[in-house]
Coordinates of all heavy atoms in Angstrom, one line a residue:
I141 N -23.8 59.5 -125.3 CA -24.3 59.6 -126.7 C -23.1 59.8 -127.7 O -23.0 59.2 -128.7 CB -25.3 60.7 -126.8 CG1 -26.5 60.5 -125.8 CG2 -25.9 60.9 -128.3 CD1 -27.5 61.7 -125.7
S216 N -27.4 51.4 -126.4 CA -27.3 51.2 -127.8 C -28.2 52.2 -128.5 O -29.1 52.8 -127.9 CB -27.6 49.8 -128.2 OG -28.9 49.4 -127.9
D217 N -28.0 52.2 -129.8 CA -28.9 53.0 -130.7 C -30.1 52.2 -131.0 O -30.2 50.9 -130.9 CB -28.2 53.3 -132.0 CG -28.9 54.2 -132.9 OD1 -29.1 55.4 -132.5 OD2 -29.5 53.7 -133.9
L218 N -31.2 52.9 -131.4 CA -32.5 52.3 -131.9 C -32.2 51.0 -132.8 O -33.0 50.1 -132.6 CB -33.2 53.4 -132.6 CG -34.7 53.1 -133.0 CD1 -35.4 52.9 -131.7 CD2 -35.2 54.4 -133.6
D239 N -40.5 56.9 -123.3 CA -40.4 58.3 -123.3 C -39.6 58.7 -124.5 O -38.4 59.0 -124.4 CB -39.8 58.8 -122.0 CG -39.8 60.3 -121.9 OD1 -40.5 61.0 -122.7 OD2 -39.1 60.9 -121.0
P240 N -40.2 58.7 -125.7 CA -39.4 58.9 -126.9 C -38.8 60.3 -127.0 O -39.3 61.2 -126.5 CB -40.4 58.7 -128.1 CG -41.6 58.1 -127.4 CD -41.6 58.6 -126.0
P241 N -37.7 60.4 -127.8 CA -37.1 61.7 -128.0 C -37.9 62.4 -129.1 O -37.3 62.6 -130.3 CB -35.6 61.3 -128.4 CG -35.7 60.0 -129.0 CD -36.8 59.2 -128.3
Q249 N -34.0 71.6 -125.5 CA -34.0 70.1 -125.5 C -33.0 69.6 -126.6 O -32.4 68.6 -126.3 CB -35.4 69.7 -125.8 CG -35.5 68.2 -125.6 CD -36.9 67.6 -126.1 OE1 -37.4 68.0 -127.1 NE2 -37.4 66.8 -125.3
Y253 N -30.3 66.2 -125.8 CA -30.2 64.9 -126.4 C -30.8 65.0 -127.8 O -31.6 65.8 -128.2 CB -30.9 63.8 -125.6 CG -32.4 64.1 -125.3 CD1 -33.3 63.9 -126.3 CD2 -32.8 64.5 -124.0 CE1 -34.7 64.1 -126.0 CE2 -34.1 64.7 -123.8 CZ -35.0 64.6 -124.7 OH -36.4 64.8 -124.5
P254 N -30.4 64.1 -128.7 CA -30.9 64.1 -130.1 C -32.3 63.6 -130.1 O -32.8 62.8 -129.3 CB -30.0 63.0 -130.8 CG -29.4 62.1 -129.7 CD -29.4 63.0 -128.4
T255 N -33.1 64.1 -131.1 CA -34.5 63.7 -131.3 C -34.6 62.9 -132.6 O -33.7 62.8 -133.4 CB -35.4 64.9 -131.3 OG1 -34.9 65.7 -132.4 CG2 -35.3 65.7 -130.1
L256 N -35.7 62.2 -132.7 CA -36.0 61.4 -133.9 C -37.3 61.7 -134.5 O -38.3 62.0 -133.8 CB -36.0 59.9 -133.5 CG -34.6 59.3 -133.1 CD1 -34.9 57.9 -132.5 CD2 -33.7 59.2 -134.3
S365 N -35.4 67.9 -117.5 CA -36.8 67.3 -117.8 C -36.8 65.7 -117.5 O -37.4 65.0 -118.3 CB -37.2 67.6 -119.2 OG -36.1 67.5 -120.1
R366 N -36.4 65.4 -116.4 CA -36.5 64.0 -115.9 C -37.9 63.7 -115.5 O -38.6 64.5 -114.9 CB -35.7 63.9 -114.6 CG -34.5 63.0 -114.7 CD -33.7 63.1 -113.4 NE -33.5 61.7 -112.9 CZ -32.6 61.5 -112.0 NH1 -31.9 62.4 -111.5 NH2 -32.4 60.2 -111.6
K367 N -38.4 62.6 -115.9 CA -39.8 62.2 -115.6 C -39.8 61.5 -114.3 O -38.9 60.7 -113.9 CB -40.3 61.3 -116.7 CG -40.3 61.8 -118.1 CD -41.1 63.1 -118.3 CE -41.4 63.4 -119.7 NZ -40.3 63.5 -120.6
E388 N -37.9 50.1 -119.5 CA -38.1 51.5 -119.9 C -37.3 51.7 -121.2 O -36.1 51.3 -121.2 CB -37.6 52.4 -118.8 CG -37.8 53.9 -119.2 CD -37.5 54.9 -118.1 OE1 -37.2 54.6 -117.0 OE2 -37.5 56.1 -118.5
F390 N -35.7 54.3 -124.0 CA -35.1 55.6 -124.0 C -34.8 56.1 -122.6 O -35.0 57.3 -122.3 CB -36.0 56.6 -124.8 CG -36.3 56.2 -126.2 CD1 -37.5 55.7 -126.5 CD2 -35.3 56.3 -127.1 CE1 -37.7 55.2 -127.9 CE2 -35.5 56.0 -128.5 CZ -36.7 55.4 -128.8
A391 N -34.4 55.2 -121.7 CA -34.2 55.5 -120.3 C -32.9 56.3 -120.1 O -32.0 56.2 -120.9 CB -34.1 54.2 -119.5
R392 N -32.9 57.1 -119.1 CA -31.6 57.7 -118.6 C -31.3 57.3 -117.2 O -30.4 57.9 -116.6 CB -31.8 59.2 -118.7 CG -31.9 59.8 -120.2 CD -31.8 61.2 -120.3 NE -33.0 61.9 -119.6 CZ -33.2 63.2 -119.6 NH1 -32.4 64.0 -120.1 NH2 -34.3 63.7 -118.9
W401 N -33.3 50.6 -121.4 CA -32.6 50.7 -122.7 C -32.6 52.1 -123.2 O -33.6 52.9 -123.0 CB -33.3 49.8 -123.7 CG -32.8 50.1 -125.1 CD1 -31.6 49.6 -125.6 CD2 -33.3 51.0 -126.0 NE1 -31.4 50.2 -126.9 CE2 -32.4 51.0 -127.1 CE3 -34.5 51.8 -126.0 CZ2 -32.7 51.8 -128.3 CZ3 -34.7 52.6 -127.1 CH2 -33.8 52.6 -128.2
G402 N -31.5 52.5 -123.9 CA -31.5 53.8 -124.5 C -30.0 54.1 -124.9 O -29.2 53.2 -124.7
N403 N -29.7 55.3 -125.4 CA -28.3 55.5 -125.7 C -27.5 56.1 -124.5 O -26.4 56.4 -124.7 CB -28.2 56.3 -127.0 CG -28.9 57.7 -126.9 OD1 -29.3 58.1 -125.8 ND2 -29.0 58.4 -128.0
E404 N -28.2 56.3 -123.4 CA -27.5 56.7 -122.2 C -28.2 56.3 -120.9 O -28.4 57.2 -120.0 CB -27.4 58.3 -122.3 CG -28.7 59.0 -122.6 CD -28.6 60.5 -122.5 OE1 -27.5 61.0 -122.1 OE2 -29.6 61.2 -122.8
F408 N -28.0 59.2 -115.3 CA -28.3 59.6 -113.9 C -27.8 58.7 -112.9 O -28.1 58.8 -111.7 CB -29.8 60.0 -113.7 CG -30.3 61.1 -114.6 CD1 -31.3 61.0 -115.4 CD2 -29.6 62.3 -114.6 CE1 -31.8 62.0 -116.3 CE2 -30.0 63.4 -115.4 CZ -31.1 63.2 -116.2
Ligands
LIG1 N1 -37.5 59.4 -119.6 C1 -36.2 59.9 -119.5 C2 -35.9 60.7 -118.2 O1 -36.9 60.9 -117.5 O2 -34.8 60.9 -117.9 C3 -35.9 60.9 -120.6 C4 -35.9 60.3 -122.0 S1 -35.6 61.5 -123.2 C5 -37.2 62.1 -123.6 C6 -35.2 60.5 -124.7 C7 -33.9 59.8 -124.6 O3 -33.8 59.1 -125.9 C8 -32.6 60.6 -124.5 O4 -31.8 60.0 -123.5 C9 -32.0 60.4 -125.9 O5 -30.6 60.5 -125.8 C10 -32.4 59.1 -126.3 N2 -32.3 58.8 -127.7 C11 -32.3 59.7 -128.7 N3 -32.1 59.1 -129.9 C12 -31.9 57.8 -129.7 C13 -31.5 56.7 -130.5 N4 -31.4 56.8 -131.8 N5 -31.3 55.5 -129.9 C14 -31.5 55.4 -128.6 N6 -31.8 56.4 -127.8 C15 -32.0 57.6 -128.3

Side-chain angles (χ1 to χ4, degrees):
I141 304 175
S216 64
D217 184 74
L218 193 56
D239 184 14
Q249 190 188 40
Y253 57 76
T255 57
L256 291 170
S365 40
R366 245 174 127 165
K367 304 296 197 310
E388 182 176 351
F390 302 103
R392 291 190 296 183
W401 168 82
N403 61 11
E404 50 174 355
F408 296 125

